[in-house]
Amino acid sequence: MPLSRSLSMTSLSGVLPAWEEDQLPVEDLLLFEVAWEVANKVGGIYTVIQSKAKVTVDEWGENYFMMGPYFEHNFKTQVEGCEPPNAAIRKAMDALIHNGCQVHFGRWLIEGNPFVVLFDIGSAAWNLDRWKGDLWDTCHIGLPFHDREANDSLILGSLIAWFLRELTNHLEGKKNIICHFHEWQAGPGLILSRSRKIPMATIFTTHATLLGRYLCAGNVDFYNNLDKFDIDKEAGERQIYHRYCLERAAVHCSHVFTTVSQITAVEANHILHRKPDIVTPNGLNVKKFSAMHEFQNLHSINKARIQEFVRGHFYGHLDFNLDKTLFFFIAGRYEFTNKGADIFLESLSRLNYLLRVHRNDLTVVVFFIMPAKTNNFNVES
C-alpha cells in the first residue's frame, strides 16, 4: 500500500477567506517571519530578510517578529537582548523554558531593529526521536539520522510549532497571527502548525527549489527539460528525497505560496506541483541613493580606494593606466555554476580575446567575492 507522502492544504481544516478590506488591521495582527538565516548569515536569504526589515518594522511596529535558530556567537554580536513587548509572547517562551528548551528574545541590530525570537536547537535535541515520530505520523516523512541539517530543521520547526500553539492559547483570540516561512529549513514548522490546526494564516516562500539547485549544480540543461525530469528518482539519487518531501509538504500546506521570480514560479510548478499564488520579487531600497550628490561623492571615494588597492597589488611588476581601467565584480555563495562564475569566466575570456585582437589599451580588473573557509593569507599573492 503506497504511503501518502505529503499533506496538502485541501486536506487540512482552516482554509482562509479572502480579505476584502483595502488595509489590513495591523493593530489586531501579529506577523512572524521564520527563516534559518535570521541573525545567522549562511547565504543570500540573510540579505533578503535583512534588507526588508526596516520597511516591515515601519509598517507593523511592535507587532512584527522574526524567528530562527539561536547560536551564541551570533546572539552576542548581532542581537541586543530585551523583554518581549507582548505578555502572551513572554508566557509562550516561559512554557518552553520550563520544559527545558531555551528561547531567547531581543532586537536584531540591523536597520529597523526588528524583534527576534531565537530557539536553542541544542537544548531541545533530546526530543529529536519523539519529534521524528510526530513527523512520520503526520505526513509519513522519515529523516535519516546522518542528515544533521534536516534534523536541526525538524527541531527548530517543532519548537516553533510548540511556541505558536502556546501563544495562540494565551492570546485567546485577541490577536490574529500571520506566519511567513522561508525555504525548506523552515518547512517543518509550517507542516506541524497546520497539522495541529493552530489558528493562523501561513505563507511559504521558496527562493529556489531544493532539487533545482542540485540539478543546476550537476551541469544539466535544467530549464529546457523541466517537464522531463523524474522528480522522485532525481531527488532519491542525490540523497535529498526526505528534504524534497519536506519542501513539497510545506508548499502544499501553506495558505499562500510565493516565489521570488517568474522563472522560479515555473520551476516550482513543475518540481513542487503547485503554481505560486503570487510572485514577490526581491528588491533594493533605492531611497538611500536618492541624494545623487552624496551618492556620487561616495562613489568617487570608494573608486579611489579600489584604485589604491589595485595599484598596491599590481604596480611594479604589472603597470597599467588606472584611468583606462574597468572594474568588474561578482559576488555570492561559493558555488561555481549555481552563481554563474563559470559563465562569467567564459565571458571574460572572450572579452580578453577581443581586446587583444583589436589592440585595445583598456585594462579589466575583476573581483571574485565569495566567502570560503580560509586559514591564512596566501603569501605568494
Side-chain angles (χ1 to χ4, degrees), residues 162-175:
W162 184 2
F163 170 83
L164 290 170
R165 165 59 75 195
E166 295 287 345
L167 178 61
T168 52
N169 288 344
H170 289 299
L171 285 172
E172 298 176 338
K174 294 173 186 173
K175 296 225 183 228

Side-chain angles (χ1 to χ4, degrees), residues 88-344:
I89 290 177
R90 178 74 263 174
K91 290 176 182 175
M93 289 173 56
D94 288 341
L96 272 68
I97 292 168
H98 291 156
N99 281 279
C101 303
Q102 294 303 310
V103 189
H104 301 265
F105 190 91
R107 283 191 180 273
W108 191 2
L109 301 177
I110 58 174
E111 198 173 7
N113 297 120
F115 289 123
V116 290
V117 187
L118 303 177
F119 300 85
D120 189 336
I121 292 168
S123 71
W126 55 277
N127 290 294
L128 179 59
D129 287 341
R130 177 165 60 87
W131 286 340
K132 279 187 177 184
D134 290 345
L135 184 68
W136 178 260
D137 293 339
T138 300
C139 51
H140 298 296
I141 297 175
L143 303 185
F145 74 93
H146 58 77
D147 189 342
R148 172 73 180 273
E149 193 174 358
N151 290 330
D152 284 351
S153 297
L154 175 60
I155 296 171
L156 176 64
S158 300
L159 288 169
I160 286 172
W162 184 2
F163 170 83
L164 290 170
R165 165 59 75 195
E166 295 287 345
L167 178 61
T168 52
N169 288 344
H170 289 299
L171 285 172
E172 298 176 338
K174 294 173 186 173
K175 296 225 183 228
N176 292 315
I177 293 176
I178 300 173
C179 210
H180 183 185
F181 298 82
H182 290 269
E183 289 290 282
W184 74 270
Q185 291 102 321
L190 193 158
I191 297 163
L192 294 169
S193 296
R194 293 285 281 124
S195 66
R196 293 169 187 173
K197 299 179 174 57
I198 297 174
M200 65 184 193
T202 56
I203 305 165
F204 184 77
T205 297
T206 182
H207 298 254
T209 67
L210 183 66
L211 183 58
R213 293 179 197 269
Y214 275 80
L215 289 169
C216 286
N219 202 25
V220 300
D221 188 3
F222 180 60
Y223 289 109
N224 289 325
N225 292 285
L226 264 176
D227 57 342
K228 300 180 182 68
F229 290 116
D230 183 336
I231 303 300
D232 291 341
K233 176 175 175 289
E234 296 287 354
E237 286 180 349
R238 287 161 177 78
Q239 299 183 353
I240 57 163
Y241 187 68
H242 55 288
R243 295 186 181 193
Y244 164 71
C245 288
L246 284 175
E247 180 181 45
R248 194 176 72 175
V251 165
H252 286 272
C253 284
S254 60
H255 291 104
V256 177
F257 171 46
T258 81
T259 61
V260 295
S261 68
Q262 196 57 52
I263 192 67
T264 311
V266 174
E267 177 186 334
N269 196 23
H270 281 92
I271 290 181
L272 300 171
H273 308 303
R274 180 177 176 183
K275 184 178 180 181
D277 300 291
I278 188 171
V279 172
T280 54
N282 294 327
L284 288 171
N285 180 6
V286 294
K287 284 187 178 179
K288 65 168 67 175
F289 307 126
S290 56
M292 282 306 295
H293 62 284
E294 291 181 14
F295 184 56
Q296 287 167 344
N297 290 340
L298 196 61
H299 175 81
S300 61
I301 291 169
N302 288 334
K303 185 176 180 181
R305 292 178 68 186
I306 292 168
Q307 288 178 332
E308 187 67 25
F309 173 81
V310 168
R311 190 182 292 114
H313 227 61
F314 295 107
Y315 273 36
H317 57 89
L318 183 62
D319 295 343
F320 47 85
N321 187 352
L322 283 172
D323 292 328
K324 291 185 177 180
T325 300
L326 294 178
F327 298 106
F328 292 172
F329 297 83
I330 185 171
R333 197 164 54 248
Y334 193 37
E335 294 180 15
F336 189 62
T337 53
N338 274 3
K339 294 302 178 184
D342 54 340
I343 298 173
F344 189 52

